[in-house]
Amino acid sequence: MSSTSERPLGIDALLERVRVDLDRVGAAEAFEAAQAGEALLVDIRYAALRDRDGLIPGALVIERNELEWRLDPQGSHRAPEATSHDLRVVVVCNEGYASSLAAVSLRRLGLRRATDLVGGFQAWKAAGLPVTT
């Protein structure tokens, strides 16, 4: 049980804490890893953002509320791409915040190489990397 004198952590402090264990990647590194077949890019943005801004070609689209079920290699609802706990997954959200929390959740499922894209889709787009509409 927590003491009533303990202050809540707050989202900024939580992000700082969880990111310590993530080997976060930039847009260029994520692009190169995906092109080389060394990483699976997973877009967790909701449909309205995908419709507005487009998609990363080749990225697997899994909305955040389904992520753990679809990427657990042992799960009954796993995506065909969820082949191993050794899979390098780069989670992409809109701006790189929710993706950090999602990557930590995947790590708790045993996907030890899960990480996220610094700056999210917006950083990808700003870097001039491929986007389909």
Side-chain angles (χ1 to χ4, degrees):
M1 236 182 234
S2 65
S3 167
T4 56
S5 64
E6 288 182 31
R7 296 187 69 205
L9 188 59
I11 190 61
D12 293 329
L14 177 61
L15 279 171
E16 186 177 321
R17 182 179 290 179
V18 301
R19 286 177 173 166
V20 169
D21 294 326
L22 295 176
D23 182 22
R24 302 181 78 214
V25 297
E29 183 181 350
F31 175 74
E32 291 168 11
Q35 290 295 109
E38 297 170 355
L40 174 64
L41 302 181
V42 179
D43 186 343
I44 64 168
R45 294 174 301 141
Y46 52 90
L49 290 176
R50 295 191 313 266
D51 292 345
R52 182 188 78 189
D53 294 336
L55 299 169
I56 297 172
L60 179 62
V61 175
I62 302 175
E63 291 199 21
R64 176 64 189 96
N65 64 328
E66 297 180 358
L67 186 67
E68 290 82 0
W69 284 268
R70 304 290 288 147
L71 289 183
D72 179 0
Q74 300 176 50
S76 58
H77 298 290
R78 73 175 181 83
E81 294 85 352
T83 56
S84 162
H85 285 99
D86 292 325
L87 181 65
R88 184 177 183 203
V89 174
V90 177
V91 183
V92 180
C93 68
N94 193 48
E95 295 180 343
Y97 297 102
S99 57
S100 294
L101 299 175
V104 167
S105 181
L106 292 176
R107 283 184 171 223
R108 288 186 178 142
L109 283 177
L111 291 155
R112 61 181 180 78
R113 297 177 68 208
T115 190
D116 72 321
L117 177 62
V118 176
F121 181 86
Q122 296 306 320
W124 179 278
K125 190 174 174 181
L129 294 169
V131 173
T132 59
T133 53

